[in-house]
Amino acid sequence: MARSNRKLTDSDFVMFNVVYEDGALSSNRKVPLTEIDGAADTAGAKAIIEAQDRDIAEKSGRPRGRVKTIERVKRK
């Protein structure tokens, strides 16, 4: 079976801006479109971003605050 050499493009992701409870902002966080239930699924995206934050915190040793709000970035 042949492998696909298809690379992920910007259309394969949905971008979100994340505000944490401590006031920190993380802009343009990528969430794979295949992992959420449509582009408007902010609850699913929040869970994925929180999982990304846990993974980053584990690797860096610096925990992130809790997510306060999440907002989808509108494409230009």
Side-chain angles (χ1 to χ4, degrees), residues 2-60:
R3 285 192 196 194
S4 172
N5 287 335
R6 182 178 173 272
K7 293 185 178 183
L8 295 176
T9 63
D10 284 341
S11 63
D12 296 329
F13 293 96
V14 180
M15 307 289 265
F16 290 90
N17 290 333
V18 181
V19 177
Y20 294 91
E21 288 182 348
D22 63 358
L25 173 67
S26 182
S27 300
N28 296 327
R29 294 287 299 268
K30 287 184 179 182
V31 175
L33 189 56
T34 57
E35 298 291 322
I36 58 176
D37 194 25
D41 181 18
T42 56
K46 181 179 177 183
I48 291 170
I49 289 171
E50 288 172 339
Q52 290 173 350
D53 285 347
R54 283 190 300 273
D55 187 43
I56 292 167
E58 181 181 307
K59 291 177 181 177
S60 70

